[in-house]
Amino acid sequence: MRKHEGIETVLEQVSRIAGLLWEKGWAERNAGNISVNVTGLVPKKPARGCPPIVDVEKPLPLLEGTMILISATGSRMRDIARDPAGFMCIVRVPKAGSRKPSRAGSDACARPSSELPAHLSVHQFLAARGKAEKAVIHTHPGRLIALSHMQGVNNKGTLDSILKRMHPEVGAVYPDGIGFAPYRTPGTVELAAASVKALESRRIALWEKHGVVAVGPGLDEAFDAIDTMEKAAGIYLDCMAAGYEPEGLTDGQIIALRAAFGQ
Ligand code: 2HA
Ligand code: ZN
């Protein structure tokens, strides 16, 4: 997140990125969810137009005192795009001993996304490692999901290698590649744990047969990682649909790319 940002600026970014997720076709119905660590950006007395604040029930010692802006459960990306404050809420992780009554349940829009466990686990992991990333996106990009159904491709090593060979941009910008989380039921703590493991030092991980989770300093950078990987997946599938297995960048080309980008 950049300096001098307030919650209003973050909500503008949420609106723009939610619109893009919808336009890209990655957000059917209420698919996907967005969160941003907005600690320090929420005024003590939130003004009108600030999303509702909900206290999280579960103790999360590493996130104590943190505020996470997250899409509300059931919200459509196209609705978030036109009214971000109306379809987001702020999850507050109270400091130990300072628990305030939760507003969850009193306001239909104040129930956070069904993927809250994954978002909180990823924010916890980012905070614990002192990372600059504050934004998390989960969405359903069709081509990456299609690859995750392809036997022989749906494993970390093969998927990562295919995407790097399809498009020089992948290896140049994302040398740590894409992580791979084996299928877990949506919304579960098992999916949350698999997400953290798959992300490690990466910007993006594929949730097998479901979607992706990506992180970035801001929502734009998280979006870029998804967009780039989805482009590479599309090139692979377009070649296969045209009836040929793509040659891909050769070993020599990959080595030269790494050297050129100081990796
Ligand atoms: O928010 O995408 O994974 C709906 C989903 C759950
Ligand atoms: Zn999903």
Side-chain angles (χ1 to χ4, degrees), residues 120-225:
L120 288 181
S121 294
V122 171
H123 282 293
Q124 190 163 238
F125 160 78
L126 295 171
R129 296 266 179 109
K131 299 246 192 189
E133 280 92 347
K134 303 273 184 214
V136 179
I137 299 177
H138 161 56
T139 193
H140 297 173
R143 296 173 182 102
L144 283 165
I145 298 170
L147 279 189
S148 82
H149 282 274
M150 204 165 167
Q151 284 181 5
V153 170
N154 57 356
N155 63 77
K156 154 95 194 85
T158 314
L159 178 81
D160 191 45
S161 161
I162 284 179
L163 296 182
K164 283 199 179 122
R165 285 178 193 275
M166 281 308 103
H167 192 15
E169 196 82 358
V170 172
V173 183
Y174 306 104
D176 293 325
I178 189 166
F180 184 79
Y183 184 82
R184 299 286 183 269
T185 304
T188 59
V189 292
E190 288 77 20
L191 180 57
S195 304
V196 168
K197 196 164 169 229
L199 278 170
E200 287 175 23
S201 59
R202 306 184 184 96
R203 272 281 156 87
I204 177 167
L206 183 56
W207 288 354
E208 185 182 15
K209 303 174 188 173
H210 179 166
V212 293
V213 62
V215 300
L219 288 167
D220 272 297
E221 291 82 1
F223 177 89
D224 287 342

Side-chain angles (χ1 to χ4, degrees), residues 217-240:
L219 288 167
D220 272 297
E221 291 82 1
F223 177 89
D224 287 342
I226 306 169
D227 201 21
T228 308
M229 296 295 178
E230 176 73 350
K231 167 64 75 69
I235 295 168
Y236 181 75
L237 291 173
D238 282 350
C239 294
M240 298 293 270

